[in-house]
Amino acid sequence: MYGKIFSSLYQGTLRGCSDEILVFTNLIANADSTGLVDKHWRAISEETGLSIDRVKTAITNLEAPDPDSRSPEMEGRRIIPIDEHRAWGW
């Protein structure tokens, strides 16, 4: 799949957060045409080379509200879970 990544990704509040940037760009690259990423965090770990714990931490941070976000939608969250009954898929 094709996903556009803007240079502002590296200039915003993720600046210096390499794990979050790596996980987020992996999710963008694997999103379907509607933006859905139905992918287990273990697969993200294997693809990025990050430990599962580091992926989970990065995902937690990407799911969290960002009061300094340029985008007010969803309180600045970058990703939201597909289903509250499972720990993966966004």
Side-chain angles (χ1 to χ4, degrees), residues 18-82:
S18 58
D19 288 356
E20 285 80 356
I21 289 172
L22 183 57
V23 169
F24 193 39
T25 56
N26 180 275
L27 294 174
I28 291 169
N30 287 282
D32 68 13
S33 62
T34 66
L36 186 72
V37 183
D38 194 15
K39 185 175 186 174
H40 196 274
W41 35 260
R42 197 171 317 130
I44 299 167
S45 171
E46 292 169 358
E47 291 177 4
T48 61
L50 297 175
S51 70
I52 290 173
D53 288 339
R54 287 174 66 182
V55 169
K56 286 181 177 181
T57 298
I59 287 173
T60 297
N61 292 337
L62 293 169
E63 289 178 336
D66 180 358
D68 295 324
S69 174
R70 292 181 179 95
S71 178
E73 292 89 31
M74 299 181 298
E75 299 178 279
R77 289 175 174 86
R78 292 169 181 87
I79 60 174
I80 56 170
I82 293 172

